[in-house]
Amino acid sequence: MEYVTAVPHPRTPAAGPARAGRRSLAVALMCGALGAAVALLATRQEWAEGTATVAGGAFSLTAKGSDVTGVPAALAIVGLAALVAVFAVRRAGRFAVAAVLALSGAGTVAAALVGASDSSALDDQAAKAAGDTSATVDALSHTAWPYVAAVGGALLLLAGLLALRYGRQWPAMSGRYERGGAPRRRPQTVDPERPEDLWKAIDRGEDPTSA
């Protein structure tokens, strides 16, 4: 007679780390992809605006994030590539790629915050408009987009830190394919007492006597 118990079976010690690995993987993918997208979008927006005085008149000038600095966009692309490359390498290679991902996020944050107060792009436009290299922009103001780019960099940084902490628990690309792209053929057991197995082995190009 069998007994039914309501006591739950004890969980294996590996269940906790495996669950943490899956959760960290999902969070890292979401943060990395979203962070790169946000940073790239922010660099295409208007970061600064001001006015320049030319021939007694004033006209407005604007500068996009890509005009102020190209570092956040470049690092966002590097971070996105590193996020994908994390799954193509293992062990020390994965740790190195995760470090690149984290550094890309940190660099994006730093460059965006520096660009939030940079006026060089508008000064260059004012100098060209006035025909005077010493001309500078007046009534300079900045938008919130540099800080949005910094938020994108922070998400990339978080993805990199998660990869550094939990990356060893994440899955890697399957190695079941050889360099030529064909799946590896596993040798099948041949029973010498079964003639059909011998013929199948010959059809596969195998030597049935090698077993």
Side-chain angles (χ1 to χ4, degrees):
M1 180 177 180
E2 296 183 356
Y3 294 93
V4 179
T5 177
V7 179
H9 294 284
R11 297 179 180 178
T12 60
R19 188 180 300 106
R22 290 192 298 269
R23 290 179 179 176
S24 61
L25 173 59
V27 174
L29 287 174
M30 181 181 66
C31 290
L34 181 61
V38 168
L40 289 173
L41 174 64
T43 57
R44 298 179 181 179
Q45 308 304 317
E46 184 178 299
W47 279 27
E49 56 187 4
T51 58
T53 303
V54 179
F59 63 96
S60 61
L61 298 174
T62 60
K64 295 182 179 180
S66 55
D67 299 327
V68 176
T69 174
V71 175
L75 290 180
I77 295 175
V78 172
L80 187 60
L83 180 64
V84 176
V86 164
F87 302 98
V89 292
R90 300 181 181 182
R91 299 184 179 88
R94 175 167 291 186
F95 183 86
V97 173
V100 171
L101 174 57
L103 291 175
S104 299
T108 301
V109 173
L113 294 179
V114 171
S117 59
D118 192 344
S119 62
S120 59
L122 287 181
D123 287 340
D124 292 340
Q125 293 185 22
K128 292 179 180 178
D132 183 3
T133 57
S134 62
T136 58
V137 67
D138 300 322
L140 176 65
S141 62
H142 292 82
T143 66
W145 283 107
Y147 302 101
V148 175
V151 171
L155 291 174
L156 282 171
L157 175 59
L158 177 58
L161 294 177
L162 289 173
L164 288 172
R165 174 63 179 85
Y166 299 100
R168 63 181 180 276
Q169 302 174 10
W170 295 353
M173 290 184 179
S174 175
R176 63 187 292 267
Y177 291 95
E178 298 179 347
R179 293 183 179 180
R184 297 176 182 175
R185 178 178 298 174
R186 297 181 179 179
Q188 300 182 10
T189 304
V190 177
D191 186 359
E193 301 298 330
R194 295 170 57 87
E196 58 270 22
D197 286 356
L198 299 177
W199 286 112
K200 290 179 180 179
I202 295 174
D203 291 339
R204 293 192 301 267
E206 301 175 1
D207 183 6
T209 62
S210 61

